[in-house]
Amino acid sequence: MIPVELDIQFAISHPDLTSERITLWVQTAVSEATKAYTDAGLSVPYAQAQFTFRFCDADEAKALNHQYRDKDYATNVLTFEYGIDATETVSSDIIICIPVLEAEALEQKKTFLDHAAHLCIHGVLHALGYDHLDDDEAEEMEGLEIDILQHLAIANPYLG
């Protein structure tokens, strides 16, 4: 099992978001992504992971999205990947906007926790090098998200 160091920050909180839940989602994502490497016969490029999760309001998310992506709106999740250092530690800051998460969950007829789990896993996979810039990358990343969520007894977020 890959050791994961996790710092969780709540600029705003939600009663259902607990450190225990977030830790479970992140550890499951790292474990399953690592298993995907080994199942494909590839060497795992990291030996440990270090993530900071920050749950924020729409103003903060909009400011960060504007500053770093030149987009003028609050987005659901932002992942700042810092790569893998000399100690084989992958590190990243992952920002999740609670109001956008809540609105999307309602809009998509998902529970808040199921959508929160998906966004956390999505952010972790970005930190581990996955992306969805083209169709093949998107298919691979979405497939892994579905598998990880299934391990957590959460339905496929791309159906419906």
Side-chain angles (χ1 to χ4, degrees):
M1 179 178 278
I2 299 291
V4 176
E5 183 181 321
L6 188 57
D7 177 29
I8 303 170
Q9 302 173 359
F10 292 100
I12 64 170
S13 61
H14 187 284
D16 293 332
L17 277 179
T18 63
S19 295
E20 295 79 17
R21 280 188 171 125
I22 297 162
T23 299
L24 173 65
W25 299 336
V26 171
Q27 187 63 62
T28 302
V30 171
S31 295
E32 292 301 311
T34 301
K35 184 179 179 298
Y37 274 108
T38 57
D39 287 353
L42 303 170
S43 63
V44 179
Y46 48 85
Q48 51 196 352
Q50 185 176 37
F51 304 118
T52 296
F53 270 79
R54 182 167 175 83
F55 294 87
C56 69
D57 63 17
D59 290 339
E60 183 177 347
K62 182 178 178 179
L64 290 167
N65 204 25
H66 181 74
Q67 181 177 355
Y68 293 101
R69 296 181 63 230
D70 204 27
K71 308 282 184 182
D72 198 30
Y73 58 88
T75 189
N76 55 8
V77 59
L78 287 168
T79 303
F80 297 93
E81 305 165 46
Y82 304 121
I84 302 169
D85 68 15
T87 66
E88 296 182 343
T89 301
V90 62
S91 62
S92 179
D93 290 337
I94 300 168
I95 314 299
I96 295 180
C97 179
I98 298 279
V100 172
L101 188 168
E102 290 173 323
E104 287 178 348
L106 279 174
E107 209 174 87
Q108 298 169 19
K109 296 177 177 46
K110 298 175 184 170
T111 70
F112 173 84
L113 284 176
D114 285 358
H115 195 46
H118 182 208
L119 293 183
C120 286
I121 290 162
H122 187 86
V124 168
L125 292 182
H126 273 306
L128 298 178
Y130 288 87
D131 217 328
H132 45 82
L133 297 175
D134 65 39
D135 289 343
D136 289 340
E137 286 179 344
E139 187 176 315
E140 180 181 9
M141 186 172 179
E142 288 173 8
L144 189 50
E145 287 172 348
I146 292 163
D147 290 345
I148 294 165
L149 289 165
Q150 189 173 45
H151 274 82
L152 295 165
I154 297 172
N156 180 342
Y158 297 103
L159 295 178

